[in-house]
Amino acid sequence: MNQTTQRVAVITGGSLGIGEAISTQLLNLGWRVHILARRASSYVHSDHYGCRTHDVDVRDLDAIKEAAETVAGSSGHVDALVLCAGVGYPTPLTSASRVQYDELFDTNVAGSIFSTQAFAPLLRDGEAVITFVSSIAGRRGFSDWSLYCASKHALEGFAASMREELRPRRIRVTSVQPGSVDTPSYDHLQPEEKREFMDPVSIAELTVTAIQLPPQACVETLFVNNAVGDL
Ligand SMILES: NC(=O)c1ccc[n+]([C@@H]2O[C@H](COP(=O)([O-])OP(=O)(O)OC[C@H]3O[C@@H](n4cnc5c(N)ncnc54)[C@H](OP(=O)(O)O)[C@@H]3O)[C@@H](O)[C@H]2O)c1
């Protein structure tokens, strides 16, 4: 497949959890997939012929720009930009700290905003999709999770604005809002505590379906909650 016909994805946080499942599904569908994460090269299928890994911290804006230049040089264009790199943990008001605020907002908000800025020039007009992996925490509030919820609400505002700003280029913007998903970020929980959690593969399948819809269709919001309700 030559460079102009092969579909190209850039996935921040594509090495683990929900992002890993999206990377793997797109690779299996024949996409070229660029993964950005601090330990991107640890991605389980990093030796797949379609996979390129970039060890990048999304809080480092120069490193993101450098990765975008590398992707431009090797792939030339991008059809799907998935902003999945994120962190989350409880921050009760009584103990929430500035360090936690900085980590949550620098990763979940600034990392996604400036990755979008760096890769937007590479997105194919009339074809491309940007997918923000937000959360149910981007539409509701949860006790003890205020900083995470605030970061995901901020991400929702950015995503909604990008949908309008990039509409003249016919670039579609999707916000994915999962409930609780069993990923390495919940490795500290016991199996019985995660019995009702979703499988990251299910979230990836829906996300990839939205990415692959014809260019006339835009899934603006993909809200997938746990069957038992909010967890
Ligand atoms: N799991 C859930 O229940 C759930 C529910 C709703 C939404 N989400 C959202 O889904 C996304 C993925 O979550 P997950 O549960 O799949 O998490 P995960 O398993 O912990 O994976 C997080 C991914 O993000 C990368 N990452 C984290 N910090 C980064 C940084 N500073 N720079 C670059 N990459 C970074 C990680 O790679 P490195 O550590 O190598 O950098 C990894 O690839 C997050 O945005 C999260 O908020 C998760």
Side-chain angles (χ1 to χ4, degrees), residues 12-20 35-40 42 56-59 83-88 107-108 133-137 148 152 155 176-186 197 200:
T12 72
S15 60
L16 281 178
I18 296 170
E20 175 193 322
I35 294 175
L36 275 64
R38 290 166 298 183
R39 291 150 297 202
S42 69
V56 165
D57 188 325
V58 295
R59 294 170 295 182
L83 292 316
C84 191
V87 287
T107 309
N108 300 354
V133 180
S134 174
S135 169
I136 186 175
Y148 179 70
K152 291 297 186 178
L155 188 62
V176 180
Q177 302 171 334
S180 294
V181 183
D182 188 1
T183 68
S185 63
Y186 284 118
F197 282 22

Side-chain angles (χ1 to χ4, degrees), residues 1-8 75-77 79 124:
M1 215 176 291
N2 68 34
Q3 274 209 348
T4 50
T5 54
Q6 187 173 29
R7 288 169 300 172
V8 178
S75 294
H77 69 272
D79 301 281
R124 262 213 270 229

Side-chain angles (χ1 to χ4, degrees), residues 59 85-91 96-111 145-152:
R59 294 170 295 182
V87 287
Y89 42 79
T91 56
S97 69
R98 180 68 202 211
V99 170
Q100 292 172 325
Y101 171 91
D102 286 344
E103 183 183 29
L104 287 160
F105 275 76
D106 285 351
T107 309
N108 300 354
V109 186
W145 285 77
S146 59
L147 294 186
Y148 179 70
C149 288
S151 76
K152 291 297 186 178

